[in-house]
Amino acid sequence: MAKARTQFVCQNCATVHARWVGKCEGCGEWNTIVEDDPTAGIGGGPGRTPKKGRPVALTALSGEIEEAPRIPTGIAELDRATGGGFVRGSALLIGGDPGIGKSTLLMQAAAALSRLGSRVIYVSGEEAVAQVRLRAQRLHAADTNVLLAAETNVEDILATLSEGKRPDLVIIDSIQTLWSDLAESAPGTVTQVRVGVQAMIRFAKQTGATVVLVGHVTKDGQIAGPRVVEHMVDAVLYFEGDRGHHYRILRTVKNRFGPTDEIGVFEMSDKGLREVSNPSELFLGERNAKAPGAAVFAGMEGTRPILVEIQALVAPSPLGTPRRAVVGWDSARLSMILAVLEAHCGVRLAQHDVYLNVAGGYRVSEPAADMAVAAALVSSLAGLALPADCVYFGEISLSGAVRPVAHTAQRLKEAEKLGFQRAVLPSASAEIPASRQAGLTEIEALADLVVKIAGSKKRPNDDSGDATL
């Protein structure tokens, strides 16, 4: 019989090594490599002869398209993030920081589906049944028919799920606590996580039940464990939020049965998570329209337009190397905007500390926020408040030109709904409604925006409109 070959796998990135080393070559982390059994959970092994395969039927691309059967939860924000509800026979992975509200959201979803007549089983590997019941009482979900179990063994969980009527929804909290007899490593390792996820996905595909897996996150905000888990499941959702704010965002980063980059917005309270149907009002609720350095950005999250305030503070620096602090935006992109302002607009910021913040703890990732960031920086440096009824959006290139962005009509419609009558946007923008032409200011280059902001405060005997501040 052939000898089993031992391999070593990184617990952070799942890179396979032929021998143990202190530093992983894939991700650069130290002391994350452990011994792994490559045959665990796949039914193979040394000396085992693989069985002969059978041919499968081939079909053409043309034909009738069947919509994936879904289970609407009745929670509108959760259904929006998942693309209309949970798909039967699918596996979803939800990650988030500890205490952010993952278990609260899933308990509310389980209770909502149970009230609609679905059979829901909640398997907790981190909490006892009594702890789950206390959460259910706080969320007013104790009167539902949700079935509970506190178990971490994969074989025992599958045996329990196979008894009686097929469940419609199975919640596993969390995948890092699962362990199987097929693997000899400790729970939470790459082998155990992979085996557990494979078993739960196989159960979902065979029975048509929806399986929701809860995953821990690392200090970088990524789901802990091997990245192969994210490739195995059908959808990956991140539950984000700041402990200092009440809002929570459920962000979709992968969805085989619906759109990606969708978000659901919730507000945390003592009675659980409450849906926020208009998140723009949430992020603009405490806005000071008369303060300099604040610009309203009309952004997009999937198909949803969101208005959020960009705050900037520019102050003379007593240090040789000025500070650059960013919260809620890409720090590298801020450096690019500062360089463009200095190189093409004459705005001198090399001797100033620059602080940038996205109000409400919201995180902006799209480049359309460049225009709002630049407007906030110039406003803070000049000490001039921007118009309170104006929104900004547009991408800035390294040449100083302002490039158009998508979904112009949706951004303007959301701004008009919240009382904003003016907008500063790229000159080549398409899909502009005829009713909004009067309040629009089209910008071709970033220097035009600087002149527009600084021109309202001209120096004595200076009619040149120079962009230098």
Side-chain angles (χ1 to χ4, degrees), residues 256-304:
R256 291 174 178 166
F257 303 104
T260 58
D261 295 331
E262 283 285 2
I263 66 169
V265 184
F266 299 88
E267 185 178 4
M268 178 64 76
S269 65
D270 56 346
K271 297 182 180 180
L273 293 167
R274 183 183 65 85
E275 300 177 62
V276 179
S277 58
N278 192 350
S280 297
E281 294 182 351
L282 176 65
F283 297 126
L284 297 176
E286 300 178 357
R287 177 172 174 249
N288 185 3
K290 297 181 180 181
V296 178
F297 165 57
M300 292 292 298
E301 284 288 352
T303 59
R304 162 180 275 173

Side-chain angles (χ1 to χ4, degrees), residues 8 62 77 141 223 324 332 365 425:
F8 297 85
S62 59
E77 296 299 310
I223 295 180
R324 301 288 188 263
S365 58
L425 69 165

Side-chain angles (χ1 to χ4, degrees), residues 233-254:
V233 297
D234 299 307
V236 179
L237 299 94
Y238 281 85
F239 205 46
E240 305 173 353
D242 191 347
R243 292 288 185 89
H245 298 86
H246 295 292
Y247 92 96
R248 301 289 186 269
I249 291 181
L250 183 64
R251 189 184 304 273
T252 305
V253 296
K254 173 187 175 181

Side-chain angles (χ1 to χ4, degrees), residues 7-297:
Q7 65 182 15
F8 297 85
V9 181
C10 175
Q11 302 301 293
N12 185 51
C13 65
T15 301
V16 179
H17 301 75
R19 59 185 179 87
W20 186 91
V21 291
K23 182 179 181 180
C24 176
E25 300 176 356
C27 61
E29 295 290 333
W30 288 86
N31 300 324
T32 59
I33 298 175
V34 298
E35 185 177 350
D36 179 49
D37 182 8
T39 63
I42 59 177
R48 180 183 177 91
T49 303
K51 66 178 182 179
K52 185 178 180 180
R54 58 179 179 84
V56 297
L58 302 176
T59 59
L61 290 175
S62 59
E64 296 183 0
I65 301 177
E66 297 182 359
E67 293 291 338
R70 295 183 179 273
I71 311 175
T73 62
I75 303 177
E77 296 299 310
L78 178 59
D79 291 340
R80 171 191 285 272
T82 56
F86 295 132
V87 176
R88 297 185 182 274
S90 65
L92 293 84
L93 178 62
I94 297 182
D97 295 330
I100 203 67
K102 302 184 298 296
S103 300
T104 300
L105 174 64
L106 292 179
M107 177 57 70
Q108 292 184 225
L113 284 175
S114 179
R115 292 188 179 98
L116 296 176
S118 300
R119 189 169 189 260
V120 182
I121 297 179
Y122 191 107
V123 181
S124 176
E126 299 180 345
E127 299 175 315
V129 173
Q131 293 176 291
V132 180
R133 285 175 175 172
L134 287 175
R135 180 184 299 112
Q137 292 178 0
R138 178 172 58 87
L139 301 176
H140 302 287
D143 59 338
T144 60
N145 295 324
V146 177
L147 303 177
L148 304 179
E151 183 56 55
T152 57
N153 183 265
V154 175
E155 286 75 20
D156 293 344
I157 293 175
L158 293 178
T160 304
L161 298 178
S162 300
E163 289 185 350
K165 182 182 176 182
R166 175 188 61 84
D168 297 301
L169 176 65
V170 178
I171 299 173
I172 307 294
D173 189 4
S174 66
I175 61 172
Q176 275 80 13
T177 61
L178 298 184
W179 64 277
S180 172
D181 296 329
L182 299 177
E184 298 180 355
S185 55
T189 58
V190 172
T191 303
Q192 290 285 8
V193 171
R194 183 178 64 237
V195 172
V197 172
Q198 284 179 341
M200 299 311 302
I201 293 178
R202 191 181 307 115
F203 172 80
K205 302 302 180 183
Q206 291 176 352
T207 63
T210 302
V211 176
V212 179
L213 307 173
V214 179
H216 297 166
V217 297
T218 62
K219 60 182 179 180
D220 298 328
Q222 302 295 326
I223 295 180
R227 295 304 295 261
V228 68
V229 173
E230 299 187 29
H231 302 308
M232 294 166 60
V233 297
D234 299 307
V236 179
L237 299 94
Y238 281 85
F239 205 46
E240 305 173 353
D242 191 347
R243 292 288 185 89
H245 298 86
H246 295 292
Y247 92 96
R248 301 289 186 269
I249 291 181
L250 183 64
R251 189 184 304 273
T252 305
V253 296
K254 173 187 175 181
N255 194 351
R256 291 174 178 166
F257 303 104
T260 58
D261 295 331
E262 283 285 2
I263 66 169
V265 184
F266 299 88
E267 185 178 4
M268 178 64 76
S269 65
D270 56 346
K271 297 182 180 180
L273 293 167
R274 183 183 65 85
E275 300 177 62
V276 179
S277 58
N278 192 350
S280 297
E281 294 182 351
L282 176 65
F283 297 126
L284 297 176
E286 300 178 357
R287 177 172 174 249
N288 185 3
K290 297 181 180 181
V296 178
F297 165 57

